[in-house]
Amino acid sequence: MANVSVFNMEGSEIGKMDVSDTIFAVPINEHLVHMAVVQQLANKRQGTQSAKTRSEVRGGGRKPWRQKGTGHARQGSTRAPQWTGGGVVFAPKPRDYSFKMNKKEKEAALKSALTSRVNENKFYVLDELKLDEIKTKKMVAVLSALKVKKALLVLAGKDLNIEASAKNIPDVRTSFISIDEAGNVSSTLNVYDILKYDTVVITKAAVANIEEVYA
């Protein structure tokens, strides 16, 4: 099994832990990773851009001049695309940019992204990550002790103190993966964030949840 170091909040290494090879030591599939990132960005697009075609622009019903004899090129409407105030050729219209990936493809992409962080030694496991109050300075101290700046914090569940403390730190984002008593999974962990932020800082409990969900 893959082996990673475990740190405390003071940045000291307190031991090692084995992590599942089926999640953190898989062959990296760059195609699926790329597709997962493109899908997430595409699904975020609003697709609400719109412009009017010549049939939608107001006016232009009357022929500007007679067909022949004026010396001008023939024109049928002052709202044709070549006229000022005319319609737009092939005008953009509201559309849906989103597309779907299969569940197994998404899982393979996520495992590839996690594996890449483990291989690059940018995967920090904390024995626990807790704050008694919302304090950005304390969160900065934890990250400074680990010597990381651009980091994705992965928790085993929602934690208001951690999330609020990290919210105002540039280049730091929080996510979570949790499992309730009924076995329902809630997760904000995604491929795009894992790749966007240089380092993954994750709790032991979150690693256990990932292994339970994706093993």
Side-chain angles (χ1 to χ4, degrees):
M1 298 181 76
N3 191 268
V4 296
S5 299
V6 180
F7 299 85
N8 59 21
M9 290 176 59
E10 288 73 41
S12 301
E13 184 176 339
I14 59 174
K16 300 278 188 179
M17 71 175 289
D18 293 328
V19 292
S20 174
D21 286 344
T22 59
I23 300 173
F24 300 99
V26 300
I28 296 176
N29 190 321
E30 294 183 2
H31 169 67
L32 289 181
V33 170
H34 176 263
M35 190 159 66
V37 171
V38 171
Q39 187 214 24
Q40 187 169 341
L41 295 177
N43 291 357
K44 282 184 176 181
R45 294 185 67 175
Q46 286 186 317
T48 54
Q49 74 277 32
S50 183
K52 292 182 178 180
T53 63
R54 62 180 296 172
S55 66
E56 297 168 321
V57 179
R58 179 177 176 140
R62 179 175 177 271
K63 189 174 174 67
W65 50 74
R66 58 195 175 93
Q67 182 82 345
K68 294 177 180 294
T70 63
H72 296 299
R74 56 193 175 189
Q75 299 291 333
S77 171
T78 57
R79 293 299 178 262
Q82 72 271 20
W83 284 73
T84 300
V88 178
V89 181
F90 305 127
K93 293 296 178 185
R95 56 166 290 191
D96 181 11
Y97 289 92
S98 65
F99 63 93
K100 293 183 179 181
M101 286 180 65
N102 295 332
K103 183 178 179 180
K104 289 186 177 180
E105 290 178 330
K106 289 182 179 180
E107 290 183 2
L110 185 66
K111 291 176 181 179
S112 292
L114 291 171
T115 297
S116 70
R117 286 293 174 254
V118 173
N119 292 346
E120 295 166 1
N121 295 320
K122 294 181 178 180
F123 190 84
Y124 289 77
V125 179
L126 296 181
D127 59 338
E128 65 174 359
L129 183 57
K130 290 184 178 180
L131 295 178
D132 297 330
E133 58 181 339
I134 298 174
K135 201 73 174 177
T136 300
K137 185 181 290 187
K138 291 185 178 180
M139 194 70 247
V140 171
V142 173
L143 297 175
S144 297
L146 294 170
K147 298 180 181 179
V148 299
K149 293 182 179 179
K150 194 173 183 180
L152 175 67
L153 307 178
V154 185
L155 311 173
K158 290 185 177 182
D159 188 320
L160 178 61
N161 288 350
I162 297 295
E163 293 173 3
S165 297
K167 189 174 182 179
N168 290 330
I169 305 176
D171 296 326
V172 173
R173 183 178 178 86
T174 58
S175 63
F176 69 90
I177 177 167
S178 63
I179 307 172
D180 63 18
E181 295 178 354
N184 299 316
V185 179
S186 298
S187 176
T188 59
L189 186 63
N190 61 80
V191 174
Y192 178 73
D193 284 342
I194 293 172
L195 299 181
K196 179 180 179 181
Y197 298 91
D198 290 339
T199 307
V200 173
V201 178
I202 185 171
T203 63
K204 287 180 68 174
V207 172
N209 286 349
I210 290 174
E211 290 182 340
E212 184 175 343
V213 172
Y214 295 108

